[in-house]
Amino acid sequence: MAATYTAVHPVRRPEGRPARDDFAFVTGTIPGLQDGQVLVENLLLSVDPYMREALEFEDWQEGFGMEGRTLGRVVASREPSLPVGAIVFHRHGWSTHAILGPRDTRRIVEPADGVPLSAYLGILGGTGLTAYVGLTRVAKLQPGEDLFVSAAAGAVGSAVGQIARVLGARRIVGSAGSAAKVDRLVQELGFDAAFDYHGGDLSKKLAEAAPDGVDVYFDNVGGDHLEAAIDGLREFGRIAWCGAIAQYDSLRTPPAAPRNLFDVVGKRIRLEGFLVRDHGDVRPEFEDFITPHLRSGAVRVDETVVDGFENIVDAFLGLLAGENTGKMLVRAGS
Amino acid sequence: MAATYTAVHPVRRPEGRPARDDFAFVTGTIPGLQDGQVLVENLLLSVDPYMREALEFEDWQEGFGMEGRTLGRVVASREPSLPVGAIVFHRHGWSTHAILGPRDTRRIVEPADGVPLSAYLGILGGTGLTAYVGLTRVAKLQPGEDLFVSAAAGAVGSAVGQIARVLGARRIVGSAGSAAKVDRLVQELGFDAAFDYHGGDLSKKLAEAAPDGVDVYFDNVGGDHLEAAIDGLREFGRIAWCGAIAQYDSLRTPPAAPRNLFDVVGKRIRLEGFLVRDHGDVRPEFEDFITPHLRSGAVRVDETVVDGFENIVDAFLGLLAGENTGKMLVRAGS
């Protein structure tokens, strides 16, 4: 068992897009456990767009690194409910190890047959829950309705498209940042149409991809995508806005809001912001819903895995640059 | 009985704010009735902000003038269900007379005791229903919650404030366009605070009027008011957006959307546009709700009445210039 840990600390508030020098790898001696504590070796770490925002507000705390969703294995225990070997989900990532108690962890007792452990950080975790909550609780997508999702090749976006399909959506359209991602959405992830958002008029591109309009827009981007979606939405359309990856670099000067916002009145559009953390009560329902679809292959585990904890900063920067398809993960453990 | 009618026709599409020359008074001979028709002499005519928008799309039809909500009396009848003397609500205003059938009219059989006829064009009509639907169906205002309404001295705004009070709202704050209107909101219409929106930072003015924030914003204005409201709303706040009087003059180039729109995500705000015409099914519930409050005086009939059909264009232009308090009506009949 390692006597030292390595963690990533933020050491500088980024100006615009974060850079490698905004972070530092630090090492320290793992302290002894107290009663009720376990030592967890982290196996799989999630890097997520929201972490860019967290960098603005992070407490720059000492200790085991930045907040991050993680799967780990208990390697030493003074807590009977979490024996050595137990697999746990927790939020103390960006570190090779964490010292935790039962309240900080959610034990993953029985990984479902045919579902990889990594799914608990992606489609079966907060990413999938975000997609499911946005579709069923916020947008209230109905079978037969048409959907547009931005950043569709990202973790949440690809979950939205796949979950919307099994919820009975009719036409599913996505935007992505490269021709390769566009191809992947249509050929591998079951999208009916997709377009590259670079260059040209987004409203026109959406109109070409969804000539009859859409009922629901799942917004991961904001800005010009939101404007195009308002143009493309039908009357009584709904927008579930779960975050804005394009805006995290410019929180202090957010981009222009859609010039056509007034159309929400004439079209009776509902625009609603949400954070998945308010919807933890939906998790059991979601797990029951998604697991059979994962087993059958109707919904795919869509992920990019970077090997080695030493590459976590590069993985995060790559995520912000759109280098991933699906969920971006770092494999840290053995 | 008059053998001729006078009606107002739009004769020119307004550039920006409409002017008197955009309209013409025309006279004609009243045609004979066919079976199933009645001749109605209009008594009270409503002028409303939405008519500015209608001018952009009006069909410039020949006949009895522009669309407008009106109360009239049957003066000749070839329809047994609508005898001479019956009072009817209809939408063929901007004229001294209208020829209508049962489908075009809603008969007002029993005006409630202590409720003036004019209320059926205002607080007891589409204006009040707009306020009630926006508060109960769109914003879902709960007892004890705090409210901000823009254009609060207007017909819908003053209904919103008064209806919110009897629905159990706690702090009710409004904006208006003059110091006199601000005084009136607080001293006569039961608002807890109000401010003049001219000059200065609206977010700051709202924060002074509602230091603890608000739960609901009823938007009659859009633009900078919407931006201030997003700043002032608490988490899980709701915006019911029913129209935008300030924007009707500039539909072709709508004003800037709120720069802080992205905050709807972090605050989990719901923004929803609505049109009262989708909610006609709520009318019976609303009438049952509001009538006792009108009788008791808890809700006031708040109106500005201009005498003489010949003044209807000036009344409409005055409405757009904010010269009214409450519902703007024209008394045309004898």
Side-chain angles (χ1 to χ4, degrees):
Chain A
M1 191 179 94
T4 59
Y5 69 87
T6 304
V8 174
H9 285 185
V11 293
R12 200 172 65 180
R13 287 195 200 277
E15 292 293 328
R17 177 159 295 178
R20 215 173 284 180
D21 291 348
D22 297 329
F23 305 88
F25 285 84
V26 298
T27 57
T29 303
I30 296 173
L33 298 180
Q34 299 177 357
D35 280 346
Q37 289 186 329
V38 297
L39 175 65
V40 172
E41 182 184 1
N42 291 332
L43 304 175
L44 277 164
L45 301 95
S46 172
V47 288
D48 294 278
Y50 76 83
M51 292 167 172
R52 170 66 189 89
E53 190 172 11
L55 288 174
E56 299 287 332
F57 308 109
E58 187 83 10
D59 280 341
W60 311 84
Q61 81 284 12
E62 296 300 309
F64 284 119
M66 292 162 47
E67 193 270 353
R69 288 182 260 188
T70 303
L71 290 169
R73 183 193 294 116
V74 174
V75 292
S77 176
R78 291 181 65 179
E79 165 55 43
S81 69
L82 293 172
V84 169
I87 302 294
V88 293
F89 170 90
H90 66 87
R91 296 178 176 278
H92 297 256
W94 292 80
S95 175
T96 56
H97 297 78
I99 291 180
L100 304 166
R103 287 191 189 171
D104 309 317
T105 58
R106 186 161 58 85
R107 189 168 174 189
I108 297 191
V109 180
E110 297 179 62
D113 292 342
V115 178
L117 192 60
S118 59
Y120 287 89
L121 287 178
I123 188 76
L124 201 49
T127 299
L129 185 61
T130 298
Y132 186 76
V133 162
L135 290 171
T136 64
R137 296 310 199 271
V138 184
K140 297 185 168 68
L141 178 79
Q142 300 301 311
E145 289 192 325
D146 299 328
L147 170 83
F148 170 48
V149 53
S150 52
V156 171
S158 74
V160 167
Q162 295 196 86
I163 291 173
R165 176 67 71 212
V166 291
L167 285 171
R170 194 176 58 169
R171 189 166 180 83
I172 299 174
V173 172
S175 68
S178 74
K181 287 180 179 178
V182 165
D183 286 348
R184 205 163 159 281
L185 289 175
V186 174
Q187 286 163 21
E188 297 182 33
L189 292 176
F191 281 68
D192 297 292
F195 59 87
D196 187 338
Y197 59 73
H198 290 102
D201 179 336
L202 282 186
S203 289
K204 196 176 157 196
K205 290 183 181 195
L206 176 57
E208 286 165 1
D212 299 327
V214 295
D215 303 290
V216 168
Y217 171 49
F218 194 109
D219 191 355
N220 291 303
V221 174
D224 54 357
H225 270 82
L226 181 53
E227 184 167 302
I230 290 173
D231 278 343
L233 277 167
R234 301 190 186 119
E235 290 190 348
F236 302 102
R238 288 90 64 198
I239 300 167
W241 194 357
C242 95
I245 190 168
Q247 301 189 358
Y248 290 131
D249 289 344
S250 53
L251 279 177
R252 292 159 201 165
T253 53
R259 290 163 293 183
N260 57 356
L261 186 65
F262 177 52
D263 290 342
V264 304
V265 178
K267 287 187 171 181
R268 291 87 104 196
I269 287 172
R270 174 164 58 83
L271 164 65
E272 190 164 346
F274 75 102
L275 299 175
V276 70
R277 69 175 191 231
D278 299 320
H279 299 274
D281 60 307
V282 182
R283 182 182 295 283
E285 170 192 321
F286 169 63
E287 289 182 351
D288 289 347
F289 167 82
I290 198 72
T291 303
H293 295 302
L294 285 171
R295 285 200 187 118
S296 75
V299 173
R300 293 176 46 158
V301 174
D302 185 39
E303 62 191 19
T304 300
V305 180
V306 172
D307 270 307
F309 181 77
E310 66 276 17
N311 295 315
I312 189 170
V313 171
D314 288 340
F316 176 58
L317 300 180
L319 169 82
L320 295 181
E323 291 170 4
N324 58 306
T325 57
K327 184 72 191 169
M328 187 72 134
L329 298 174
V330 176
R331 194 187 317 273
S334 48
Chain B
M1 192 181 94
T4 60
Y5 69 87
T6 303
V8 174
H9 286 186
V11 292
R12 201 170 67 180
R13 286 195 201 277
E15 292 294 328
R17 177 158 296 176
R20 212 174 287 181
D21 292 348
D22 296 331
F23 303 89
F25 285 85
V26 297
T27 57
T29 301
I30 296 173
L33 298 180
Q34 299 177 358
D35 280 345
Q37 290 186 327
V38 296
L39 175 64
V40 172
E41 182 183 359
N42 292 333
L43 302 176
L44 278 164
L45 300 96
S46 172
V47 289
D48 295 278
Y50 76 83
M51 291 167 173
R52 170 65 187 89
E53 190 170 11
L55 287 175
E56 298 286 331
F57 307 109
E58 186 83 11
D59 281 341
W60 311 84
Q61 81 281 12
E62 295 301 310
F64 284 118
M66 289 161 52
E67 193 269 354
R69 288 182 260 186
T70 304
L71 290 170
R73 182 193 295 120
V74 174
V75 291
S77 174
R78 290 182 64 177
E79 165 54 44
S81 70
L82 294 172
V84 170
I87 301 293
V88 294
F89 170 90
H90 65 88
R91 295 178 177 279
H92 297 257
W94 293 78
S95 174
T96 55
H97 296 78
I99 290 179
L100 303 166
R103 288 189 188 171
D104 309 316
T105 58
R106 187 161 58 86
R107 189 169 173 188
I108 298 189
V109 180
E110 297 179 63
D113 292 342
V115 179
L117 191 61
S118 60
Y120 286 89
L121 287 177
I123 188 75
L124 200 49
T127 299
L129 186 61
T130 298
Y132 185 76
V133 162
L135 290 171
T136 64
R137 296 308 199 273
V138 184
K140 298 186 170 65
L141 177 79
Q142 301 299 311
E145 289 192 324
D146 299 328
L147 170 84
F148 170 47
V149 53
S150 52
V156 170
S158 74
V160 167
Q162 295 196 83
I163 291 173
R165 178 65 71 209
V166 292
L167 285 170
R170 194 175 57 168
R171 190 166 179 82
I172 299 174
V173 172
S175 68
S178 75
K181 287 180 179 179
V182 165
D183 286 347
R184 204 162 161 282
L185 290 174
V186 175
Q187 287 163 20
E188 297 181 34
L189 293 175
F191 281 67
D192 297 292
F195 58 87
D196 187 338
Y197 59 72
H198 290 102
D201 180 335
L202 282 187
S203 289
K204 196 176 158 198
K205 290 183 181 198
L206 176 58
E208 286 165 0
D212 299 326
V214 296
D215 303 290
V216 168
Y217 171 49
F218 194 111
D219 191 355
N220 291 303
V221 173
D224 54 359
H225 270 83
L226 181 53
E227 185 167 304
I230 290 173
D231 279 343
L233 277 166
R234 301 191 186 116
E235 290 189 346
F236 302 102
R238 288 91 65 200
I239 299 168
W241 194 357
C242 93
I245 190 169
Q247 301 188 358
Y248 290 131
D249 288 344
S250 54
L251 279 176
R252 291 160 201 164
T253 54
R259 290 163 294 182
N260 57 355
L261 186 65
F262 177 51
D263 290 341
V264 304
V265 178
K267 287 188 172 181
R268 290 87 104 199
I269 286 172
R270 174 164 59 83
L271 164 65
E272 190 164 344
F274 75 101
L275 299 176
V276 70
R277 69 175 191 231
D278 300 319
H279 299 275
D281 60 309
V282 182
R283 181 181 295 282
E285 171 191 320
F286 170 63
E287 289 182 351
D288 289 347
F289 167 82
I290 198 72
T291 302
H293 295 301
L294 285 172
R295 284 199 188 119
S296 76
V299 173
R300 293 175 45 159
V301 173
D302 185 38
E303 62 191 18
T304 300
V305 180
V306 172
D307 270 305
F309 181 77
E310 67 275 16
N311 295 316
I312 189 170
V313 170
D314 287 341
F316 177 58
L317 301 180
L319 169 82
L320 295 180
E323 292 170 5
N324 59 305
T325 57
K327 185 69 190 173
M328 187 72 135
L329 298 175
V330 176
R331 194 188 317 274
S334 47

